[in-house]
Amino acid sequence: MKDVEQRIRELREQINYHNYRYHVLNAPVISDAEYDRLFRELQALEEAHPELITPDSPTQRVGGEPQEKFEKVRHPAPILSLASTTEPEGIREWLARISKLLPEGVRVEDLDFVVEPKIDGLTVVLHYVDGVFVQGATRGNGEVGEDITANLRTIKKLPLRIPTDPQTAVPAPPRLVVRGEAYMPLDAFAEFNRRQEEMGEKAFANPRNAAAGSLRQLDPNITASRPLSLWCYSIVASEGVEITTQWETLAYLRTMGFPVSEDVALLSTVDEVIEHCLAWVKKRDTLNYEADGLVIKINDLRLQEALGVVGKDPRGAIAFKFPAREATTRLLDAEASVGRTGALTPVAVLEPVELGGVTIKHASLHNYEDVARKDIRIGDMVIVKRAGDVIPYVAGPIVDLRDGSERPITMPERCPVCGEPVVQPEDEVAVYCVNAACPAQLKRRVRHFVAAMEIDGLGERTVDLFVDKGLIHDAADLYTLHAEDILELEGFAEKSTENLLAAIEASKKQPFWRVLNALGIRYVGSVVAQTLARHFPSIDDLMQATQEDMENVEGIGPRIAASVVDYFRRPRHRELIEKLRRAGLRLAEERREEAEERVLPLAGKTFVITGTLPTMSREAATAFIERHGGKVTSSVSSKTDYLVVGESPGGTKYRKAQQLGVPMIDEAQLRAMVGAGVGEQDQDNENWTQGQLPLGL
Ligand code: IVH
């Protein structure tokens, strides 16, 4: 019996160690097969001697009986939350506030800071007695949480016994209570959701909900099947641990075998902290976890302690929040919107919610199949996401918040605009309005035309107005609009009418491929349009080409070819093309000499962009500058001609530009440099004055 006990102890120690090497350090020292052999040996011994099973045995991670409910746990010390700021300035203000509260002789300049990622998961509080994991709880209300020990045991990164590495030989303290964040890594989350959907189970709207949902399972076997991870960052209570700084805390937790983030920094000035935070905003997208910000902590724990708390927020730390990429709000209704191909797509009407600096009232629901699969209902609280340039979309419902009054979203039977019955092609999930005269389709077709032809001064609202007033019946009618017609419309004065007509006129100079793209032929976007224009250098060549001719072109498959042939077969489309020809658009590739004669307005100029521009994303602004002959670089130097400044500009670029005397312009001035007007939304922008001259010109 002594031998068995001894062997069991050895096996547990080895397995714990190898588990730690594998899951925490990502550096296994034995093969999976060897690990499995050790594990099976331990399982067999424990099966033969069930009285020797202990809760910290690695065999006890999985399994455990389903529970009726979670018991309540009182935390040894309040689990505090954090004050936050979204602006770098907020960090300085925080320091200014505490500078008055520092003990005699301590100055802000003397402080060191630890900056850690703020991983968006679920706070957990882990109790160890003599190195053995005895209890784990949720944060709850900060005073009392729920006992989720059995679920936490299933997380492979969580040490069941410390120290896990016998070689470090630092003995575990008699008591240690650690705070950490349980989360689901992004790759695991994507894979997990894919599997859920495959099995017809519900997908989670974000990794946070997935982690929280997984830890709130009453059956730990379910939790065990979820790819949860963990990182630890503070000591809530302890006996026999002498630690005075946050940086030491992180190091100590590492030696005890806890998973600790590597993405942490020890910094000594506020400027460094701010620089670090701004750099992180970019780094954020490259990480395998969702971080909603950074936590900045005063390194000296005694100072943190001395600064005390305001409400539930300790003064000694602050969160720097990244711009939000998602928000929760109520889905009030679902409207059907008619696309330029006539496809009806559902659009969410939302209780207005702020997301990344703009108020969102509508969001895409992709398509009716997606709505059904995610079981999104009217009346649901939903998660709305928005990343960079992407149109906001509804990621999914929060099922737990339903009260039974929610109603399903149904596919419309009639076009919401023209009232004609819809048609569902056999092999498609989408439904279509097939009425060629449907004004909704016309609006979409013209909007697409306007965007593809880069008629910058003509916004969507104006296009809709032209259609509603019967001024245009197809895109070609834009070129025969008269000043008198436009002047009659609300909001148009002499000058704006003149600008608009000039912008339309200027679009006649757009190359053939853009016209081809603007036609809105199914499957013909800008890339395919350029390919086609290279091989069929005029519209007549293209109209005469057979499906086979097109398929012979690299990059043109049967689906595209069939769609192009079908398009030109229709009399309505041939008429449109004749009208465009009469209007003087380029329906053939330009000769090289012609192209070279045109000098682009930004040729030879170098730009740097900083901050968020009012209507253009970084990518769109870069494309805009390049399209007009300019160059965009990432940092300011003496070669920079202009710094384009948006909201919350980066400190370094701004300062450098100031130092070097590089002229700074805003988006409106950038547009003015190329003589482009602005979209309608921009007209609301007070900063924009017509005809304003760019600095330095
Ligand atoms: S420190 C007194 N550090 O963010 C210190 N919190 O309100 C208070 N979080 O849900 C928290 N990563 O669980 C701290 N590195 C980190 C964190 C972190 C994520 C969570 C925390 C809480 C919220 C803060």
Side-chain angles (χ1 to χ4, degrees), residues 47-67:
E47 229 162 85
H49 306 276
E51 72 284 2
L52 296 180
I53 298 178
T54 57
D56 65 319
S57 170
T59 59
Q60 301 305 300
R61 280 194 193 270
V62 214
E65 291 298 306
Q67 286 170 276

PDB file of all heavy atoms in Angstrom, residues 47-67:
ATOM      1  N   GLU A  47      -8.435   3.874  -9.749  1.00  0.00           N
ATOM      2  CA  GLU A  47      -9.624   3.030  -9.871  1.00  0.00           C
ATOM      3  C   GLU A  47      -9.555   1.865  -8.890  1.00  0.00           C
ATOM      4  O   GLU A  47     -10.536   1.506  -8.242  1.00  0.00           O
ATOM      5  CB  GLU A  47      -9.714   2.480 -11.300  1.00  0.00           C
ATOM      6  CG  GLU A  47     -11.086   2.666 -11.926  1.00  0.00           C
ATOM      7  CD  GLU A  47     -10.994   2.527 -13.426  1.00  0.00           C
ATOM      8  OE1 GLU A  47     -11.046   1.383 -13.897  1.00  0.00           O
ATOM      9  OE2 GLU A  47     -10.821   3.561 -14.120  1.00  0.00           O
ATOM     10  N   ALA A  48      -8.333   1.311  -8.768  1.00  0.00           N
ATOM     11  CA  ALA A  48      -8.153   0.180  -7.850  1.00  0.00           C
ATOM     12  C   ALA A  48      -8.188   0.630  -6.384  1.00  0.00           C
ATOM     13  O   ALA A  48      -8.488  -0.154  -5.490  1.00  0.00           O
ATOM     14  CB  ALA A  48      -6.834  -0.529  -8.164  1.00  0.00           C
ATOM     15  N   HIS A  49      -7.843   1.902  -6.136  1.00  0.00           N
ATOM     16  CA  HIS A  49      -7.811   2.408  -4.758  1.00  0.00           C
ATOM     17  C   HIS A  49      -8.568   3.726  -4.650  1.00  0.00           C
ATOM     18  O   HIS A  49      -7.955   4.777  -4.415  1.00  0.00           O
ATOM     19  CB  HIS A  49      -6.349   2.611  -4.306  1.00  0.00           C
ATOM     20  CG  HIS A  49      -5.515   1.388  -4.461  1.00  0.00           C
ATOM     21  ND1 HIS A  49      -5.462   0.384  -3.523  1.00  0.00           N
ATOM     22  CD2 HIS A  49      -4.704   0.988  -5.484  1.00  0.00           C
ATOM     23  CE1 HIS A  49      -4.656  -0.570  -3.932  1.00  0.00           C
ATOM     24  NE2 HIS A  49      -4.184  -0.230  -5.132  1.00  0.00           N
ATOM     25  N   PRO A  50      -9.890   3.706  -4.825  1.00  0.00           N
ATOM     26  CA  PRO A  50     -10.672   4.954  -4.852  1.00  0.00           C
ATOM     27  C   PRO A  50     -10.488   5.783  -3.582  1.00  0.00           C
ATOM     28  O   PRO A  50     -10.645   7.006  -3.613  1.00  0.00           O
ATOM     29  CB  PRO A  50     -12.124   4.495  -4.994  1.00  0.00           C
ATOM     30  CG  PRO A  50     -12.125   3.009  -4.985  1.00  0.00           C
ATOM     31  CD  PRO A  50     -10.724   2.501  -4.972  1.00  0.00           C
ATOM     32  N   GLU A  51     -10.119   5.136  -2.460  1.00  0.00           N
ATOM     33  CA  GLU A  51      -9.961   5.902  -1.228  1.00  0.00           C
ATOM     34  C   GLU A  51      -8.761   6.848  -1.309  1.00  0.00           C
ATOM     35  O   GLU A  51      -8.630   7.775  -0.503  1.00  0.00           O
ATOM     36  CB  GLU A  51      -9.863   4.957  -0.015  1.00  0.00           C
ATOM     37  CG  GLU A  51      -8.560   4.162   0.111  1.00  0.00           C
ATOM     38  CD  GLU A  51      -8.447   2.966  -0.859  1.00  0.00           C
ATOM     39  OE1 GLU A  51      -9.378   2.746  -1.682  1.00  0.00           O
ATOM     40  OE2 GLU A  51      -7.424   2.259  -0.819  1.00  0.00           O
ATOM     41  N   LEU A  52      -7.892   6.644  -2.286  1.00  0.00           N
ATOM     42  CA  LEU A  52      -6.713   7.504  -2.399  1.00  0.00           C
ATOM     43  C   LEU A  52      -6.931   8.715  -3.322  1.00  0.00           C
ATOM     44  O   LEU A  52      -6.031   9.544  -3.489  1.00  0.00           O
ATOM     45  CB  LEU A  52      -5.517   6.685  -2.907  1.00  0.00           C
ATOM     46  CG  LEU A  52      -5.044   5.567  -1.966  1.00  0.00           C
ATOM     47  CD1 LEU A  52      -3.843   4.834  -2.579  1.00  0.00           C
ATOM     48  CD2 LEU A  52      -4.678   6.110  -0.586  1.00  0.00           C
ATOM     49  N   ILE A  53      -8.123   8.806  -3.955  1.00  0.00           N
ATOM     50  CA  ILE A  53      -8.386   9.943  -4.856  1.00  0.00           C
ATOM     51  C   ILE A  53      -8.498  11.230  -4.047  1.00  0.00           C
ATOM     52  O   ILE A  53      -9.181  11.270  -3.026  1.00  0.00           O
ATOM     53  CB  ILE A  53      -9.684   9.725  -5.663  1.00  0.00           C
ATOM     54  CG1 ILE A  53      -9.534   8.472  -6.539  1.00  0.00           C
ATOM     55  CG2 ILE A  53     -10.001  10.949  -6.536  1.00  0.00           C
ATOM     56  CD1 ILE A  53     -10.767   8.129  -7.344  1.00  0.00           C
ATOM     57  N   THR A  54      -7.790  12.272  -4.492  1.00  0.00           N
ATOM     58  CA  THR A  54      -7.899  13.584  -3.835  1.00  0.00           C
ATOM     59  C   THR A  54      -8.344  14.604  -4.887  1.00  0.00           C
ATOM     60  O   THR A  54      -8.129  14.394  -6.076  1.00  0.00           O
ATOM     61  CB  THR A  54      -6.544  14.040  -3.260  1.00  0.00           C
ATOM     62  OG1 THR A  54      -5.597  14.053  -4.334  1.00  0.00           O
ATOM     63  CG2 THR A  54      -6.064  13.129  -2.150  1.00  0.00           C
ATOM     64  N   PRO A  55      -8.953  15.711  -4.430  1.00  0.00           N
ATOM     65  CA  PRO A  55      -9.478  16.686  -5.401  1.00  0.00           C
ATOM     66  C   PRO A  55      -8.397  17.319  -6.275  1.00  0.00           C
ATOM     67  O   PRO A  55      -8.681  17.786  -7.363  1.00  0.00           O
ATOM     68  CB  PRO A  55     -10.159  17.749  -4.535  1.00  0.00           C
ATOM     69  CG  PRO A  55      -9.938  17.382  -3.114  1.00  0.00           C
ATOM     70  CD  PRO A  55      -9.263  16.069  -3.034  1.00  0.00           C
ATOM     71  N   ASP A  56      -7.158  17.356  -5.785  1.00  0.00           N
ATOM     72  CA  ASP A  56      -6.119  17.977  -6.608  1.00  0.00           C
ATOM     73  C   ASP A  56      -5.461  16.983  -7.561  1.00  0.00           C
ATOM     74  O   ASP A  56      -4.488  17.317  -8.236  1.00  0.00           O
ATOM     75  CB  ASP A  56      -5.057  18.647  -5.717  1.00  0.00           C
ATOM     76  CG  ASP A  56      -4.299  17.630  -4.879  1.00  0.00           C
ATOM     77  OD1 ASP A  56      -4.947  16.690  -4.358  1.00  0.00           O
ATOM     78  OD2 ASP A  56      -3.062  17.761  -4.752  1.00  0.00           O
ATOM     79  N   SER A  57      -5.974  15.760  -7.639  1.00  0.00           N
ATOM     80  CA  SER A  57      -5.411  14.815  -8.591  1.00  0.00           C
ATOM     81  C   SER A  57      -5.761  15.261 -10.007  1.00  0.00           C
ATOM     82  O   SER A  57      -6.895  15.665 -10.263  1.00  0.00           O
ATOM     83  CB  SER A  57      -5.982  13.417  -8.354  1.00  0.00           C
ATOM     84  OG  SER A  57      -5.594  12.590  -9.446  1.00  0.00           O
ATOM     85  N   PRO A  58      -4.773  15.216 -10.930  1.00  0.00           N
ATOM     86  CA  PRO A  58      -5.049  15.653 -12.308  1.00  0.00           C
ATOM     87  C   PRO A  58      -6.191  14.866 -12.967  1.00  0.00           C
ATOM     88  O   PRO A  58      -6.771  15.337 -13.928  1.00  0.00           O
ATOM     89  CB  PRO A  58      -3.729  15.423 -13.040  1.00  0.00           C
ATOM     90  CG  PRO A  58      -2.812  14.739 -12.095  1.00  0.00           C
ATOM     91  CD  PRO A  58      -3.376  14.856 -10.716  1.00  0.00           C
ATOM     92  N   THR A  59      -6.506  13.688 -12.457  1.00  0.00           N
ATOM     93  CA  THR A  59      -7.627  12.938 -13.040  1.00  0.00           C
ATOM     94  C   THR A  59      -8.954  13.607 -12.704  1.00  0.00           C
ATOM     95  O   THR A  59      -9.969  13.301 -13.311  1.00  0.00           O
ATOM     96  CB  THR A  59      -7.693  11.497 -12.483  1.00  0.00           C
ATOM     97  OG1 THR A  59      -7.852  11.593 -11.057  1.00  0.00           O
ATOM     98  CG2 THR A  59      -6.436  10.717 -12.808  1.00  0.00           C
ATOM     99  N   GLN A  60      -8.945  14.515 -11.747  1.00  0.00           N
ATOM    100  CA  GLN A  60     -10.197  15.116 -11.280  1.00  0.00           C
ATOM    101  C   GLN A  60     -10.574  16.398 -12.031  1.00  0.00           C
ATOM    102  O   GLN A  60     -11.541  17.056 -11.687  1.00  0.00           O
ATOM    103  CB  GLN A  60     -10.118  15.408  -9.776  1.00  0.00           C
ATOM    104  CG  GLN A  60      -9.867  14.178  -8.938  1.00  0.00           C
ATOM    105  CD  GLN A  60     -10.908  13.092  -9.193  1.00  0.00           C
ATOM    106  OE1 GLN A  60     -12.095  13.296  -8.984  1.00  0.00           O
ATOM    107  NE2 GLN A  60     -10.454  11.933  -9.679  1.00  0.00           N
ATOM    108  N   ARG A  61      -9.776  16.741 -13.060  1.00  0.00           N
ATOM    109  CA  ARG A  61     -10.138  17.934 -13.830  1.00  0.00           C
ATOM    110  C   ARG A  61     -11.464  17.715 -14.538  1.00  0.00           C
ATOM    111  O   ARG A  61     -12.314  18.593 -14.569  1.00  0.00           O
ATOM    112  CB  ARG A  61      -9.080  18.244 -14.886  1.00  0.00           C
ATOM    113  CG  ARG A  61      -7.887  18.951 -14.339  1.00  0.00           C
ATOM    114  CD  ARG A  61      -7.051  19.527 -15.472  1.00  0.00           C
ATOM    115  NE  ARG A  61      -5.756  19.931 -14.942  1.00  0.00           N
ATOM    116  CZ  ARG A  61      -5.506  21.145 -14.450  1.00  0.00           C
ATOM    117  NH1 ARG A  61      -6.446  22.068 -14.431  1.00  0.00           N
ATOM    118  NH2 ARG A  61      -4.315  21.436 -13.976  1.00  0.00           N
ATOM    119  N   VAL A  62     -11.571  16.564 -15.167  1.00  0.00           N
ATOM    120  CA  VAL A  62     -12.787  16.248 -15.898  1.00  0.00           C
ATOM    121  C   VAL A  62     -13.679  15.438 -14.964  1.00  0.00           C
ATOM    122  O   VAL A  62     -13.199  14.829 -14.027  1.00  0.00           O
ATOM    123  CB  VAL A  62     -12.497  15.401 -17.153  1.00  0.00           C
ATOM    124  CG1 VAL A  62     -13.475  15.765 -18.243  1.00  0.00           C
ATOM    125  CG2 VAL A  62     -11.077  15.542 -17.575  1.00  0.00           C
ATOM    126  N   GLY A  63     -14.953  15.435 -15.283  1.00  0.00           N
ATOM    127  CA  GLY A  63     -15.835  14.625 -14.467  1.00  0.00           C
ATOM    128  C   GLY A  63     -16.447  15.468 -13.388  1.00  0.00           C
ATOM    129  O   GLY A  63     -16.595  16.676 -13.536  1.00  0.00           O
ATOM    130  N   GLY A  64     -16.792  14.902 -12.297  1.00  0.00           N
ATOM    131  CA  GLY A  64     -17.513  15.647 -11.267  1.00  0.00           C
ATOM    132  C   GLY A  64     -18.996  15.551 -11.575  1.00  0.00           C
ATOM    133  O   GLY A  64     -19.412  15.513 -12.726  1.00  0.00           O
ATOM    134  N   GLU A  65     -19.771  15.539 -10.516  1.00  0.00           N
ATOM    135  CA  GLU A  65     -21.215  15.375 -10.670  1.00  0.00           C
ATOM    136  C   GLU A  65     -21.877  16.707 -11.022  1.00  0.00           C
ATOM    137  O   GLU A  65     -21.455  17.745 -10.521  1.00  0.00           O
ATOM    138  CB  GLU A  65     -21.806  14.879  -9.338  1.00  0.00           C
ATOM    139  CG  GLU A  65     -21.413  13.461  -8.990  1.00  0.00           C
ATOM    140  CD  GLU A  65     -21.927  12.473 -10.018  1.00  0.00           C
ATOM    141  OE1 GLU A  65     -23.153  12.488 -10.284  1.00  0.00           O
ATOM    142  OE2 GLU A  65     -21.103  11.714 -10.573  1.00  0.00           O
ATOM    143  N   PRO A  66     -22.910  16.682 -11.869  1.00  0.00           N
ATOM    144  CA  PRO A  66     -23.675  17.908 -12.103  1.00  0.00           C
ATOM    145  C   PRO A  66     -24.252  18.426 -10.784  1.00  0.00           C
ATOM    146  O   PRO A  66     -24.606  17.643  -9.901  1.00  0.00           O
ATOM    147  CB  PRO A  66     -24.809  17.465 -13.019  1.00  0.00           C
ATOM    148  CG  PRO A  66     -24.340  16.204 -13.638  1.00  0.00           C
ATOM    149  CD  PRO A  66     -23.411  15.556 -12.667  1.00  0.00           C
ATOM    150  N   GLN A  67     -24.307  19.763 -10.650  1.00  0.00           N
ATOM    151  CA  GLN A  67     -24.793  20.342  -9.400  1.00  0.00           C
ATOM    152  C   GLN A  67     -26.214  20.853  -9.554  1.00  0.00           C
ATOM    153  O   GLN A  67     -26.687  21.088 -10.661  1.00  0.00           O
ATOM    154  CB  GLN A  67     -23.896  21.523  -9.006  1.00  0.00           C
ATOM    155  CG  GLN A  67     -22.547  21.097  -8.486  1.00  0.00           C
ATOM    156  CD  GLN A  67     -21.646  22.303  -8.363  1.00  0.00           C
ATOM    157  OE1 GLN A  67     -21.020  22.732  -9.318  1.00  0.00           O
ATOM    158  NE2 GLN A  67     -21.613  22.880  -7.172  1.00  0.00           N
TER     159      GLN A  67
END
